[in-house]
Amino acid sequence: MRVRYINSQNYSVDFVDANILPTSGYLHQRKWNTTIENDSVSLSIGNYTYTITLTLRGSLKERKEALDKMCDIFELDCINETPGTLYFGDYYIKCYIVSSNTSIANINTRTNVELGIFCIKQEWIKEKKYNLVMYDDKSNQTGIKKYKYRYPFLYSNQKGAVQAINDSLADADFIMRFYGPCANPYIKVGNILYQVNTSLMAGEYLEINSTNNTIFGVSVYGEKRNLFNYRDMSRSDFFTKIPSGSNVVGWDGTFKAELIILDKRTEPRWL
């Protein structure tokens, strides 16, 4: 079981290790904020603080070194006001370790440290990625079916279309990435078209993020450019979420791309 905190500078602490074990507290807690106005109830997800106790084993010197390392890793995020990421199995959540309380247990080879884990939003996320491959030879498209309707892609059980499952309880946010070289790349999910009217060179990529409502391109040198105004304008909500259930995902196969569906929950599924 993986329970790991990775801070904003990519330093990590394993909460389950040969010499570290959670001995108190739970991550499987959930809370919706409720508001009642004029007999109407509204619910929303807010921030949340978990309290977890870790028990450290080893010599006194080893435990002191482990505690100092943990403190440094947690403290960096608080100083920089940049959250780290807590992983529980396949799920992760953005958070800060905002408090710790350390005591020596009755056995002199044990030390308990109680951590306060502040989550900006109680939203555990699991990513499901679908890779959309590029055709090697467009002139040899055996098994591809062209429909008489003017779909901007080809249906095929081998190329140009895949089945993507959103097994969340609701429509899901997503990340899409398109890899150059390509021009005016798109992905179509069911009848929803996600297209950006721009060109990418080899080594460049474009990312659409529905959570942040952002579209940007990244050059071979890592430079970002805002491509929000180059999005397809055929509908008002370009960042329409991926419908719950099974979806046909299509693209023309002239470029590589990936679709990442974000399963968001107030508590992670049990491992």
Side-chain angles (χ1 to χ4, degrees), residues 174-190:
F174 64 87
I175 297 170
M176 290 180 182
R177 296 192 183 101
F178 306 84
Y179 296 92
C182 59
N184 303 330
Y186 68 84
I187 290 174
K188 195 168 187 182
V189 180

Side-chain angles (χ1 to χ4, degrees), residues 132-149:
L132 312 182
V133 301
M134 181 174 64
Y135 301 163
D136 291 329
D137 184 1
K138 290 177 63 180
S139 64
N140 183 17
Q141 297 177 353
T142 304
I144 295 176
K145 300 176 183 178
K146 293 186 179 181
Y147 284 72
K148 63 181 180 179
Y149 304 105

Side-chain angles (χ1 to χ4, degrees), residues 157-197:
N157 58 4
Q158 298 177 6
K159 300 174 181 178
V162 298
Q163 184 183 50
I165 307 296
N166 171 17
D167 50 15
S168 301
L169 299 176
D171 295 351
D173 278 308
F174 64 87
I175 297 170
M176 290 180 182
R177 296 192 183 101
F178 306 84
Y179 296 92
C182 59
N184 303 330
Y186 68 84
I187 290 174
K188 195 168 187 182
V189 180
N191 293 318
I192 308 170
L193 177 67
Y194 305 91
Q195 184 168 24
V196 183
N197 298 311

Side-chain angles (χ1 to χ4, degrees), residues 217-224:
V218 180
S219 74
V220 292
Y221 304 105
E223 299 168 334
K224 283 188 177 183

Side-chain angles (χ1 to χ4, degrees), residues 199-213:
S199 296
L200 300 174
M201 298 173 58
E204 296 184 325
Y205 73 92
L206 180 156
E207 179 174 299
I208 302 172
N209 187 313
S210 71
T211 301
N212 302 327
N213 284 4

